[in-house]
Amino acid sequence: MTHDPRTEPTSVSLADTAATAPDMSWFAWGDPAKAKELEPGLRDLISQVLRARTEDMPPVAKADVALPASRLDGGLLKAFTELLGAEHVLVDDATRLIHSGGKSTPDLLARRAGQASPAPDAVLYPADHDEVERLLELCSAERVAVVPFGGGTSVVGGVSPLDGGFQAVVTLDLRRLNRLVSLDTTSLTAVLGAGVRTPHAEAMLAEHGLTLGHMPQSYEYATIGGYAATRSSGQASAGYGRFEDMVVGLKVATPRGTLDAGGPPASAAGPDLRRLLVGSEGTLGVITEVAVRVRPVPERVLDEAWSFPDYASGVDALRTLAQSDTRPTMARLSDETETFVNAAIGGREAVPGCQAVLGFEGTDAEVEARATVVRKVMEAAGGTALGPDPVAHWRETRFHAPYLRDTLLSAGILAETLETAASWSDLLPLYAAVVGALTGALEDDESGAVVQCHISHTYATGASLYFTVATGAGTDPAARWDRAKRAASDAIVANRGTITHHHAVGTDHRPWMAAELGPLGGEVLRAVKSALDPQGVLNPGKLIPEA
């Protein structure tokens, strides 16, 4: 990615506060100040529905968390300090605890119980691409494992500091790579540092009347580099595309040097290395800069909700939209259970059947033209218009779900999510199989289970399924969730779904990657890793299936 000095941004003043967001809680999602206790009435209702006793499960005191001692010897610590400066090489327990994993339920159960092992032996804060590259060369030579860390939002073990059998493991926190490197307002592309959090990116782009348009549930904390590394999808993917569709170029540091991939809008110069690096989860290199497509901030946003008598008719409506020439910017469909639960949590009267939420963005003329066509499709499919209010409520609570999960966990209730995608032909059979697998794994003497689902992303050939599961924690909550997740993953593979649509692979989905890729596909990935990371120090134990 060549940077043209004519496009260097002159100001990022609006983004100053967005760039300095605090770390997330060490034992929960997000800002601890936003956490709420479960209301007694709702607590009793959940207990009745799940046939489970709710019991307080508070975290241990932070001072009581068992953290393994740092294994860095004096020589390595000195080498890192000489490279980055002492203030950017931290080995204190508080910093290591924050970087001891992601935000999955197993991650949080362990930390709440006072266990933070594995933990990085040090947390390093490089300032730019060159420092990242020199760190990787040093770690490869000294056989130290390296785990890239953006916002720490992984729910699949993607940032767990596994040492891979090496003498130590360090976490590379990329928060200092937080600049808008360059902006081309003619081509509508921007180069962003990998450590830029999404609110910061949007604030910098907004100064130029532009937006990225990427808004996943992790929006407040996730980073641009993390999106590229995990093939993220945002709520408006029907209109803006997945994050990988927005990426036009990458700058990646590896133990063997720098890879610059992409740039021109299209090329026939062999396989697209950009596509190989997007989704590589820090196992092939560390993404330091991402060139992305940007768009003008929309003049108008129009939201509409629709109800359908059953899930199958709603699915058929979304399929028709996805295969048409006129689509909404956002399209989501909840099944009957999720429609009911959302209404109950929001204190609204439940609408029979299933509810879809649609959003349109663009100029006034574009929005009105598309909405008019889409309404006809929805009506022909048996939909009933509900107006904008249900979508407004959904937008207001969009980022609350992880906080609710933690609130439920404190009350002894497991609430977790998993996702997949399949062709339209396979979608409903896959849906039924996963619901059956989860229910079968969790319905027992300790508790019942509630399984709900929505379609969150649609394509011409298929769609994603996003499941939310609630059950009593029981006597061994970690084992309980592991049993359910394995049953669901087996059902996904057996019914032609992908093991992950946007959560990525990490450690959690790695056991199913051999089935996803096939023997030769796994061999190809291992060969690429060997070429770029011959010592195997980059994020060991993630993504790439074992031979």
Side-chain angles (χ1 to χ4, degrees), residues 235-247:
Q235 68 187 33
S237 64
Y240 288 95
R242 290 164 60 90
F243 192 77
E244 64 196 80
D245 301 320
M246 303 175 187
V247 174

Side-chain angles (χ1 to χ4, degrees), residues 151-171:
T153 62
S154 173
V155 293
V156 294
V159 294
S160 296
L162 305 181
D163 63 22
F166 295 106
Q167 63 165 315
V169 55
V170 296
T171 290

Side-chain angles (χ1 to χ4, degrees), residues 521-532:
E523 187 176 334
V524 169
L525 270 189
R526 291 190 293 273
V528 174
K529 182 171 178 64
S530 179
L532 297 176

Side-chain angles (χ1 to χ4, degrees), residues 98-312:
I98 288 290
H99 294 84
S100 63
K103 297 299 179 182
S104 70
T105 289
D107 287 331
L108 300 184
L109 283 170
R111 264 172 262 155
R112 292 167 72 96
Q115 299 176 9
S117 180
D121 295 293
V123 180
L124 312 179
Y125 298 85
D128 54 31
H129 175 87
D130 290 343
E131 286 192 352
V132 173
E133 189 170 281
R134 291 201 296 274
L135 279 171
L136 296 187
E137 291 171 357
L138 174 61
C139 289
S140 183
E142 297 294 334
R143 297 182 60 79
V144 174
V146 180
V147 178
F149 192 98
T153 62
S154 173
V155 293
V156 294
V159 294
S160 296
L162 305 181
D163 63 22
F166 295 106
Q167 63 165 315
V169 55
V170 296
T171 290
L172 253 59
D173 189 314
L174 301 174
R175 69 182 62 194
R176 296 176 68 203
L177 280 68
N178 65 352
R179 294 193 306 126
L180 174 58
V181 178
S182 64
L183 179 66
D184 184 341
T185 56
T186 301
S187 304
L188 288 181
T189 60
V191 178
L192 292 158
V196 177
R197 288 184 178 179
T198 336
H200 184 195
E202 288 295 340
M204 290 190 289
L205 292 172
E207 291 190 342
H208 305 274
L210 299 169
T211 182
L212 186 57
H214 191 66
M215 192 173 287
Q217 197 166 68
S218 58
Y219 172 90
E220 296 169 297
Y221 291 91
T223 61
I224 298 299
Y227 290 146
T230 59
R231 297 177 72 180
S232 173
S233 283
Q235 68 187 33
S237 64
Y240 288 95
R242 290 164 60 90
F243 192 77
E244 64 196 80
D245 301 320
M246 303 175 187
V247 174
V248 298
L250 293 169
K251 190 172 187 178
V252 181
T254 82
R256 295 192 58 200
T258 295
L259 270 177
D260 273 304
S267 171
D272 189 348
L273 294 182
R274 172 190 50 170
R275 290 287 184 177
L276 178 65
L277 296 166
V278 169
S280 58
E281 300 186 31
T283 63
L284 305 180
V286 177
I287 296 169
T288 59
E289 292 181 4
V290 185
V292 290
R293 178 197 68 206
V294 294
R295 299 190 184 187
V297 173
E299 294 177 9
R300 184 185 178 192
V301 176
L302 172 66
D303 291 332
E304 294 181 347
W306 292 78
S307 68
F308 290 90
D310 53 55
Y311 201 42

Side-chain angles (χ1 to χ4, degrees), residues 324-371:
S324 72
D325 293 329
T326 303
R327 295 179 294 276
T329 308
M330 174 189 70
R332 299 167 65 91
L333 173 73
S334 296
D335 68 3
E336 291 91 341
T337 303
E338 185 169 281
T339 298
F340 177 83
V341 169
N342 286 345
I345 292 176
R348 306 186 313 278
E349 183 178 352
V351 176
C354 301
Q355 182 173 288
V357 295
L358 305 181
F360 302 86
E361 298 181 17
T363 65
D364 284 337
E366 289 169 344
V367 165
E368 197 55 48
R370 282 190 290 140

Side-chain angles (χ1 to χ4, degrees), residues 233-540:
S233 283
Q235 68 187 33
S237 64
Y240 288 95
R242 290 164 60 90
F243 192 77
E244 64 196 80
D245 301 320
M246 303 175 187
V247 174
V248 298
L250 293 169
K251 190 172 187 178
V252 181
T254 82
R256 295 192 58 200
T258 295
L259 270 177
D260 273 304
S267 171
D272 189 348
L273 294 182
R274 172 190 50 170
R275 290 287 184 177
L276 178 65
L277 296 166
V278 169
S280 58
E281 300 186 31
T283 63
L284 305 180
V286 177
I287 296 169
T288 59
E289 292 181 4
V290 185
V292 290
R293 178 197 68 206
V294 294
R295 299 190 184 187
V297 173
E299 294 177 9
R300 184 185 178 192
V301 176
L302 172 66
D303 291 332
E304 294 181 347
W306 292 78
S307 68
F308 290 90
D310 53 55
Y311 201 42
S313 59
V315 169
D316 194 51
L318 261 61
R319 178 185 61 80
T320 302
L321 287 180
Q323 293 174 342
S324 72
D325 293 329
T326 303
R327 295 179 294 276
T329 308
M330 174 189 70
R332 299 167 65 91
L333 173 73
S334 296
D335 68 3
E336 291 91 341
T337 303
E338 185 169 281
T339 298
F340 177 83
V341 169
N342 286 345
I345 292 176
R348 306 186 313 278
E349 183 178 352
V351 176
C354 301
Q355 182 173 288
V357 295
L358 305 181
F360 302 86
E361 298 181 17
T363 65
D364 284 337
E366 289 169 344
V367 165
E368 197 55 48
R370 282 190 290 140
T372 299
V373 173
V374 167
R375 286 175 195 137
K376 293 178 180 177
V377 173
M378 300 297 272
E379 289 169 354
T384 301
L386 302 177
D389 289 348
V391 194
H393 179 266
W394 173 78
R395 287 193 186 274
E396 289 169 6
T397 59
R398 174 73 179 102
F399 303 127
H400 293 184
Y403 291 101
L404 177 59
R405 176 196 62 167
D406 295 339
T407 296
L408 291 170
L409 190 57
S410 294
I413 301 297
L414 299 181
E416 187 57 290
T417 62
L418 56 91
E419 38 72 68
T420 182
S423 68
W424 290 111
S425 297
D426 292 330
L427 201 69
L428 287 177
L430 174 62
Y431 164 76
V434 175
V435 171
L438 289 167
T439 302
L442 293 171
E443 292 272 6
D444 57 22
D445 293 339
E446 287 194 305
S447 176
V450 171
V451 181
Q452 62 190 44
C453 181
H454 64 259
I455 290 176
S456 54
H457 308 276
T458 60
Y459 310 93
T461 59
S464 68
L465 293 171
Y466 192 95
F467 296 88
T468 302
V469 189
T471 187
T475 54
D476 190 342
R480 187 172 180 82
W481 175 245
D482 180 68
R483 182 172 71 245
K485 182 65 182 284
R486 287 183 176 277
S489 297
D490 287 342
I492 286 170
V493 171
N495 288 272
R496 294 185 292 277
T498 176
I499 195 59
T500 177
H501 171 263
H502 61 268
H503 279 175
V505 177
T507 57
D508 290 10
H509 295 141
R510 189 183 181 215
W512 291 271
M513 281 295 283
E516 180 101 2
L517 297 176
L520 187 55
E523 187 176 334
V524 169
L525 270 189
R526 291 190 293 273
V528 174
K529 182 171 178 64
S530 179
L532 297 176
D533 177 24
Q535 298 301 321
V537 298
L538 288 172
N539 215 6

Side-chain angles (χ1 to χ4, degrees), residues 70-83:
S70 174
R71 297 170 293 179
L72 277 192
D73 61 38
L76 274 173
L77 190 59
K78 180 181 178 182
F80 289 140
T81 300
E82 288 176 349
L83 182 55

